[in-house]
Amino acid sequence: MLNNLCALQPYHYVIIIAVAIVVLLIIVLAAISVHNRKNADTDGKVISSRADVNANVQAIEVLIYLAEGKPEMVTRLKTLQDKIKYLTPSSAKEVAAIDQKIYSALGDAKIELSKTKGESKSGKAEKYLERAELLIAERSAYTER
């Protein structure tokens, strides 16, 4: 076999080296491509998470409007809105599920505040806001750095 290698012409060596370089280049490019696809998927999830957070902030805006005439409730809602507004977006599936649960709890609070519009009491809205606050604390366990 060593005799066969010695018998090769110089241009054969060039061809062998060129083929080896091309194969290595293909392997490196494939690895980079896989890495970029993983990053793109994560980026999309983070963008979706940011949209969920913004939807929750908008839901609080509606609740603040419905809580007109209930100063304690408005204060609590504004505090909750600040907590939600500055939540860290995440690509974790658990965080997306929690964001949906927060939105659902805020929707339930909206129903209760709609029922009690113009009254001094808030009905079960307090319970739903407590649920949202608990979910925010749970979400923080997944997004802490």
Side-chain angles (χ1 to χ4, degrees):
M1 180 167 163
L2 191 54
N3 290 337
N4 290 340
L5 285 177
C6 292
L8 294 176
Q9 298 295 322
Y11 68 91
H12 287 123
Y13 293 117
V14 173
I15 292 172
I16 291 171
I17 292 172
V19 168
I21 290 173
V22 167
V23 168
L24 284 174
L25 190 60
I26 289 172
I27 291 170
V28 169
L29 290 175
I32 290 172
S33 175
V34 168
H35 179 72
N36 286 342
R37 272 188 271 146
K38 285 181 182 176
N39 285 344
D41 186 41
T42 300
D43 290 346
K45 288 179 182 176
V46 170
I47 290 170
S48 176
S49 178
R50 175 51 55 201
D52 290 344
V53 168
N54 288 336
N56 288 335
V57 169
Q58 292 302 316
I60 296 265
E61 282 293 325
V62 173
L63 291 175
I64 290 172
Y65 172 76
L66 292 173
E68 216 175 296
K70 302 171 187 166
E72 301 86 27
M73 177 63 78
V74 170
T75 303
R76 184 173 184 185
L77 287 168
K78 287 185 178 182
T79 302
L80 187 60
Q81 185 179 34
D82 285 340
K83 286 181 187 177
I84 290 175
K85 187 184 296 184
Y86 298 109
L87 289 174
T88 305
S90 174
S91 61
K93 287 185 263 183
E94 297 86 1
V95 171
I98 291 170
D99 285 340
Q100 289 301 313
K101 289 177 184 177
I102 292 170
Y103 188 78
S104 179
L106 296 176
D108 293 340
K110 181 172 72 172
I111 291 169
E112 289 300 319
L113 285 176
S114 295
K115 290 178 184 177
T116 61
K117 181 114 172 94
E119 298 176 12
S120 62
K121 294 184 179 179
S122 301
K124 296 179 184 175
E126 293 281 340
K127 179 181 91 169
Y128 294 120
L129 293 179
E130 287 174 12
R131 173 85 174 126
E133 289 169 343
L134 179 66
L135 288 166
I136 290 168
E138 182 181 342
R139 185 187 191 280
S140 296
Y142 291 103
T143 58
E144 284 184 357
R145 296 176 192 196

